[in-house]
Amino acid sequence: AQKVTQAQTEISVVEKEDVTLDCVYETRDTTYYLFWYKQPPSGELVFLIRRNSFDEQNEISGRYSWNFQKSTSSFNFTITASQVVDSAVYFCALNLGELTFGTGTRLTIIP
Amino acid sequence: GAVVSQHPSRVICKSGTSVKIECRSLDFQATTMFWYRQFPKKSLMLMATSNEGSKATYEQGVEKDKFLINHASLTLSTLTVTSAHPEDSSFYICSATGETTTDTQYFGPGTRLTVL
């Protein structure tokens, strides 16, 4: 069975602080994809990143960075110099043919 | 690229009526479309998966006769909530994958259904 755990239900940080959202997954498969999606108050899910299980290279995109560690089954997401527009619910997801979502982390950036 | 639209974005209906929600892939051909339901402050729950021209595959616990899904073309899937009841009120989101993006689902903006 596959499972995605986002232990942090809600996080609040002051603007310009860095914040890391944790994601731990469980699967017995060796080939899979991991995703992060952002869901702002409008409701639309915005695709942020896809990572396949064979690529453990960390990725940086502007203020966003992702740390994939297969040894600990984690795929954490860091926002540096946070901004109010980053306030949203962030979902980590695992794809093994079917997308399994974590429960989401509600991030609030305080101005 | 990979834009998915949904219509309507918001609908209010009376109990007992049927509501149709459309999901369109605007700039790619969607070989597979997915329908999710999301309750307030909860994660997304997959309702069904549909491939163009085939019958949808429903997840356990989802009533096929209540949630009718049609994927008639490579750019359009519809979800019809039949004989809606207040407990059907929810946020419904569709997603799609294309021939060249089979592993990544692109999501529509969602439809908020309120049944009075």
Side-chain angles (χ1 to χ4, degrees):
Chain A
Q2 57 202 56
K3 185 180 176 183
V4 177
T5 301
Q6 293 180 256
Q8 303 150 308
T9 309
E10 295 191 27
I11 301 176
S12 294
V13 299
V14 176
E15 196 173 20
K16 296 183 184 175
E17 286 186 358
D18 299 347
V19 58
T20 296
L21 309 183
D22 298 333
C23 173
V24 175
Y25 62 93
E26 293 176 30
T27 178
R28 290 184 179 180
D29 284 53
T30 55
T31 303
Y32 49 88
Y33 288 89
L34 293 162
F35 297 81
W36 275 96
Y37 287 92
K38 173 182 180 180
Q39 188 176 38
S42 61
E44 180 174 2
L45 262 81
V46 178
F47 166 75
L48 295 178
I49 190 172
R50 180 186 83 166
R51 171 68 72 225
N52 77 53
S53 53
F54 297 108
D55 183 3
E56 285 194 72
Q57 208 169 13
N58 291 332
E59 180 153 343
I60 299 174
S61 176
R63 295 183 297 107
Y64 295 171
S65 62
W66 291 269
N67 184 345
F68 176 31
Q69 295 207 350
K70 230 171 165 177
S71 59
T72 55
S73 297
S74 65
F75 186 41
N76 296 338
F77 172 33
T78 297
I79 302 174
T80 58
S82 60
Q83 299 176 2
V84 173
V85 292
D86 296 328
S87 297
V89 179
Y90 290 86
F91 289 99
C92 179
L94 169 66
N95 193 346
L96 284 165
E98 183 177 298
L99 203 55
T100 299
F101 284 89
T103 49
T105 297
R106 182 175 299 276
L107 176 64
T108 302
I109 309 299
I110 303 165
Chain B
V3 179
V4 177
S5 71
Q6 265 183 259
H7 178 80
S9 58
R10 192 178 291 267
V11 57
I12 301 172
C13 69
K14 290 183 179 179
S15 193
T17 60
S18 293
V19 174
K20 181 186 280 189
I21 302 170
E22 291 187 351
C23 176
R24 293 181 185 272
S25 56
L26 299 185
D27 53 359
F28 67 103
Q29 294 192 320
T31 48
T32 306
M33 284 183 160
F34 305 82
W35 287 95
Y36 293 84
R37 183 173 179 176
Q38 186 179 28
F39 291 102
K41 297 192 177 183
K42 297 291 184 184
S43 189
L44 281 76
M45 268 179 27
L46 180 65
M47 298 174 66
T49 302
S50 73
N51 294 297
E52 184 262 338
S54 315
K55 284 186 178 179
T57 303
Y58 290 80
E59 295 299 300
Q60 200 170 16
V62 177
E63 297 176 61
K64 301 178 186 182
D65 296 331
K66 180 163 193 61
F67 298 100
L68 301 179
I69 291 171
N70 185 283
H71 191 165
S73 77
L74 282 172
T75 59
L76 174 64
S77 176
T78 59
L79 166 67
T80 302
V81 183
T82 62
S83 187
H85 288 282
E87 55 265 32
D88 298 326
S89 298
S90 193
F91 191 57
Y92 293 88
I93 311 176
C94 73
S95 70
T97 58
E99 290 176 338
T100 58
T101 60
T102 56
D103 298 301
T104 302
Q105 292 183 29
Y106 294 94
F107 286 82
T111 296
R112 188 161 302 283
L113 170 64
T114 303
V115 184
L116 302 175

